Amino acid sequence: MSALEIRNIQKRYGDVETLKGINIALESGEFLVLLGSSGCGKSTLLNIIAGLAEPSGGDILIGERSILGAHPKDRDIAMVFQSYALYPNMSVARNIGFGLEMRKVPTAEREKAVRDTAMLLQIENLLDRKPGQLSGGQRQRVAIGRALVRNPRVFLFDEPLSNLDAKLRMEMRTELKRLHQLLGTTVVYVTHDQIEAMTLATRIAVMRDGRIEQLGTPEEIYDRPATLYVAGFVGSPQMNILDAELTGSGLRIAGEEAFPLPETFRSAVTAGRRVKVGVRPEALRLASADVTGIRLPASIEVMELTGPELVTTARIGEQRITACLPPRTSLMPGSAQVFCFDEAALHLFDAENGRSLLAR
Amino acid sequence: MSGTWISTRAWLLMLPLLVVMIGVIGWPLVDTVRLSFTDAKLVGTTGSFVGVDNYERMLTGSSFQRALVTTTWFAVVSVAAEMVLGVLAALLLNQRFRGRTALRALMILPWALPTVVNATLWRLIYNPEYGALNAALTQLGLIDSYRSWLGEPGSALTALIIADCWKNFPLVALIALAALQAVPRDITAAALVDGAGPFNRFRFVIMPYLAGPLLVALVLRTIEAFKVFDIIWVMTRGGPANSTRTLSILVYQEAFSFQRAGAGASLALIVTLLVTVLAAAYAALLRRAAGAS
Ligand SMILES: Nc1ncnc2c1ncn2[C@@H]1O[C@H](COP(=O)(O)OP(=O)(O)OP(=O)(O)O)[C@@H](O)[C@H]1O
Ligand SMILES: [Mg+2]
């Protein structure tokens, strides 16, 4: 039984189509991340699920029942906002318990629920404070507590970590993952941060211009991006995209020497077609005599040591390529090197429509 | 030291303004204090020193006491009504609907009118022979015959309060509307998801944002209402049977109608003192509210 089903949801603001038919079905306990750049309609979709906005078409089902037209409070959802949206005049305890208070839960039961939730989030000592007296991370915990305490069927998060500094964001990310593993709740989580998406999600929906570009597990999204857009959006540094041409049964990257096209692509490709080649920076190595694979001669431009790896930028003809090499690699700017990568790491996209040419 | 230099320069820069202030406020105030201890008439005699006679007569006299009650009633009722009306209007105008912008602009109109125009307008509405109020109430069958709303001691003050409210609630509404627009959308959305109904949303979520600005409106309006003069002067001149004689009207009558400058001065100072006490009380209230949030 799906916990949440989004059926062909559309949203129009005047003449502008913000959502163009979104379809997702979520099993209970799934952690769905809506990933996309600013303005692609993530918040709009979340607000429609929450009942804070009405769709122009389509349906939303929670536990097999349509909730369209139902008041937000009757949808069995809880929401965590980017701005935390804590009530500034209420204590932390009252903030967390407000939903229960409004639902007329008896005081004793409510206080116990608030205490338990605070314990889970390690904020028992903050219960008497006002939101103004909390740090960003503490406020975030309170906001999460306010959602947790009601034990709803679906949790909605709208970029909950984007107001935190980098270190705190990582901590809270781990915390969220811990909570999800512990409680097994169903989550819809909006972010434009691909690392958050990769680490938290059981499934990712990459959105673009009001459509779902690809829906899949983090592994699928990372290993088999369906389009150039997804390939470029997920992964850091970005996947290298190089112009290439097909020569009979061979592939010529950036005007270099052609190599035989790997088996997986043979059926999907016709000769003479313009294609784009994708290679993740972390799939590239420096070629030595004994390694096999596809070879790319390049001239080194810049090396940046990030600690765990040496991010190297190089030129191949007119194009740039980035490689993540082991940190102790010794290179000289301007020197000629040969990168190589396994056939399995090769991605091929149609140059016209950007779709992956991987035979499925 | 640079600190001294800066403060010297600050004083120098403020000097022109200080001179003007002392000229138009300070000196008249001092002179009023002097006058209040004399039996000076408006014309003729400059008066001689009579000690606290004026004060004693005023404070124990029935005119003053009655005017104080009238003023307090006027201020409390009209300000309370303005606050309620203003907040309701603001809540309404904060909703999304067609023509909202036009309505917002229209609402300011009464407040933008000069008081004298407003007062004349309401005198026409209340007119015993051809007033719109009489016409409306008769046609609705609520009264049998036309009444003189401003001519009867029983209704004059209420009629004045209504006219004053109509003029001044837009100010409260404007302040409240600005405050409402500062309520973060996420917070009201969170309250919706939390299941708070309209009343609870207003009380627990919106009111905290309104309280501060409304307190300022309350302070402004109470002090103004306590000093009220023009609208009453145009509509009733304190009558009938002194039923709308507020403190400011009384001061005017003492000083100018009865030409008792000394007594008028003492009364004016008493009113000034009362307003100052009010202002100070409010200032303390505001400080406490600021400290609490
Ligand atoms: N009330 C509205 N009226 C008109 N257009 C709107 C409204 N709300 C959103 N939009 C438009 O819909 C599009 C999607 O907005 P949405 O807030 O869902 O984006 P988002 O993906 O959440 O972006 P971000 O990452 O910046 O939060 C935007 O182009 C926005 O301008
Ligand atoms: Mg958004």
Side-chain angles (χ1 to χ4, degrees):
Chain A
M1 183 181 106
S2 52
L4 170 71
E5 201 178 331
I6 300 165
R7 279 193 195 155
N8 196 27
I9 283 293
Q10 293 157 0
K11 178 69 180 176
R12 234 171 283 114
Y13 288 112
D15 291 340
V16 186
E17 259 193 296
T18 297
L19 294 177
K20 301 166 183 167
I22 304 282
N23 287 290
I24 302 170
L26 273 193
E27 296 304 313
S28 176
E30 273 203 87
F31 197 122
L32 172 76
V33 172
L34 300 175
L35 177 66
S37 53
S38 191
C40 70
K42 309 178 297 286
S43 297
T44 306
L45 181 58
L46 206 68
N47 287 336
I48 287 174
I49 300 173
L52 299 171
E54 287 299 317
S56 318
D59 202 356
I60 306 258
L61 290 86
I62 289 184
E64 310 282 298
R65 265 188 38 238
S66 170
I67 50 161
L68 231 55
H71 191 275
K73 73 180 197 305
D74 302 322
R75 294 190 175 204
D76 211 358
I77 50 121
M79 188 152 171
V80 177
F81 296 84
Q82 175 176 357
S83 61
Y84 317 132
L86 300 178
Y87 310 120
N89 55 311
M90 298 182 198
S91 69
V92 165
R94 184 115 189 262
N95 258 287
I96 295 177
F98 192 67
L100 299 179
E101 187 182 330
M102 291 298 109
R103 283 173 169 76
K104 305 213 161 53
V105 172
T107 313
E109 192 180 324
R110 189 170 81 219
E111 280 171 358
K112 182 173 181 315
V114 169
R115 246 185 341 246
D116 290 350
T117 306
M119 202 106 82
L120 189 68
L121 292 163
Q122 293 148 17
I123 47 173
E124 309 101 294
N125 53 333
L126 305 178
L127 284 176
D128 295 326
R129 296 216 200 149
K130 293 273 174 69
Q133 301 163 313
L134 301 178
S135 72
Q138 290 169 332
R139 279 181 219 181
Q140 189 58 70
R141 279 169 199 270
V142 177
I144 293 170
R146 188 169 64 178
L148 280 184
V149 76
R150 295 208 348 248
N151 196 21
R153 209 191 285 248
V154 179
F155 284 93
L156 307 174
F157 290 83
D158 193 353
E159 311 212 22
L161 307 186
S162 59
N163 284 351
L164 302 178
D165 63 52
K167 182 167 168 288
L168 207 54
R169 198 180 311 170
M170 261 177 74
E171 270 175 45
M172 286 305 293
R173 206 169 70 203
T174 313
E175 178 80 14
L176 278 174
K177 184 129 191 164
R178 178 181 76 89
L179 285 171
H180 180 247
Q181 284 170 359
L182 191 71
L183 305 170
T185 43
T186 311
V187 176
V188 180
Y189 184 106
V190 163
T191 183
H192 57 251
D193 181 323
Q194 50 101 13
I195 308 235
E196 259 171 52
M198 288 298 292
T199 50
L200 287 170
T202 60
R203 271 202 295 166
I204 298 176
V206 181
M207 289 181 65
R208 181 193 188 187
D209 281 344
R211 283 206 179 81
I212 292 187
E213 190 91 351
Q214 186 176 2
L215 177 64
T217 64
E219 293 78 14
E220 283 166 3
I221 299 276
Y222 182 80
D223 292 337
R224 295 196 295 281
T227 64
L228 271 175
Y229 182 81
V230 176
F233 203 88
V234 177
S236 172
Q238 276 195 9
M239 182 187 278
N240 296 297
I241 307 288
L242 301 168
D243 290 328
E245 54 186 311
L246 290 160
T247 59
S249 63
L251 180 67
R252 191 198 301 278
I253 298 176
E256 298 293 333
E257 191 183 328
F259 56 87
L261 192 63
E263 195 72 45
T264 36
F265 296 109
R266 295 247 169 99
S267 57
V269 171
T270 48
R273 199 161 170 186
R274 283 182 49 236
V275 293
K276 298 233 183 229
V277 159
V279 189
R280 294 219 177 266
E282 49 274 33
L284 290 169
R285 287 159 296 156
L286 280 183
S288 51
D290 54 332
V291 291
T292 56
I294 300 166
R295 302 166 75 88
L296 290 172
S299 125
I300 306 296
E301 279 194 327
V302 179
M303 289 100 63
E304 295 156 291
L305 182 66
T306 61
E309 54 196 15
L310 187 70
V311 178
T312 308
T313 311
R315 295 186 76 88
I316 299 182
E318 293 297 297
Q319 306 183 54
R320 263 207 185 75
I321 189 167
T322 307
C324 296
L325 304 175
R328 306 279 176 261
T329 316
S330 63
L331 284 173
M332 288 294 289
S335 68
Q337 296 285 346
V338 177
F339 290 119
C340 77
F341 61 96
D342 294 336
E343 278 187 3
L346 178 73
H347 299 266
L348 219 51
F349 300 94
D350 186 317
E352 258 96 64
N353 61 20
R355 292 198 179 286
S356 170
L357 294 174
L358 198 67
R360 279 157 199 276
Chain B
M1 260 170 58
S2 68
T4 343
W5 160 234
I6 286 176
S7 84
T8 312
R9 187 168 56 176
W11 278 106
L12 273 174
L13 284 171
M14 285 197 302
L15 196 64
L17 184 66
L18 272 174
V19 170
V20 173
M21 296 278 279
I22 288 169
V24 301
I25 298 176
W27 185 78
L29 193 66
V30 171
D31 199 47
T32 307
V33 173
R34 183 192 61 78
L35 263 180
S36 72
F37 291 107
T38 68
D39 59 359
K41 294 271 181 274
L42 197 60
V43 281
T45 160
T46 50
S48 50
F49 185 78
V50 292
V52 294
D53 260 20
N54 285 331
Y55 289 95
E56 205 181 315
R57 218 153 29 78
M58 278 301 149
L59 289 173
T60 53
S62 66
S63 322
F64 171 78
Q65 285 168 6
R66 185 151 171 231
L68 183 63
V69 170
T70 306
T71 308
T72 309
W73 178 253
F74 177 88
V76 168
V77 176
S78 66
V79 171
E82 281 159 25
M83 299 300 278
V84 173
L85 271 176
V87 170
L88 285 178
L91 285 173
L92 215 67
L93 289 175
N94 197 38
Q95 303 297 315
R96 227 181 274 256
F97 59 87
R98 199 184 289 268
R100 173 173 77 164
T101 317
L103 211 58
R104 281 183 184 175
L106 212 60
M107 185 198 64
I108 307 174
L109 202 65
W111 186 67
L113 284 180
T115 309
V116 177
V117 174
N118 178 53
T120 313
L121 206 88
W122 280 93
R123 260 178 65 168
L124 288 175
I125 292 173
Y126 289 137
N127 188 287
E129 277 129 45
Y130 47 80
L133 182 67
N134 277 320
L137 291 181
T138 329
Q139 276 160 32
L140 285 172
L142 292 174
I143 53 171
D144 300 329
S145 57
Y146 278 24
R147 289 177 54 186
S148 173
W149 302 101
L150 292 175
E152 294 165 22
S155 62
L157 189 58
T158 310
L160 273 178
I161 288 175
I162 291 172
D164 188 63
C165 271
W166 188 77
K167 175 167 169 56
N168 286 310
F169 90 88
L171 176 70
V172 180
L174 219 59
I175 291 173
L177 190 58
L180 281 179
Q181 283 166 344
V183 180
R185 278 187 45 139
D186 278 0
I187 297 231
T188 37
L192 268 178
V193 174
D194 267 341
F199 178 73
N200 281 334
R201 277 208 302 282
F202 178 74
R203 178 160 158 227
F204 294 121
V205 179
I206 294 173
M207 201 50 205
Y209 285 90
L210 278 183
L214 279 188
L215 198 58
V216 174
L218 187 74
V219 171
L220 279 174
R221 284 300 310 137
T222 319
I223 290 173
E224 265 180 31
F226 211 81
K227 300 186 302 188
V228 66
F229 177 80
D230 39 10
I231 193 169
I232 297 181
W233 192 248
V234 175
M235 286 179 74
T236 61
R237 304 210 164 215
N242 294 334
S243 63
T244 61
R245 187 161 73 180
T246 58
L247 288 171
S248 293
I249 300 276
L250 186 61
V251 171
Y252 182 89
Q253 287 182 345
E254 276 296 327
F256 298 103
S257 306
F258 309 142
Q259 312 228 338
R260 292 194 285 259
S266 71
L267 196 55
L269 285 172
I270 293 170
V271 176
T272 308
L273 192 72
L274 283 171
V275 172
T276 310
V277 167
L278 261 181
Y282 276 135
L285 214 65
L286 277 175
R287 248 202 313 280
R288 229 184 47 202
S293 69

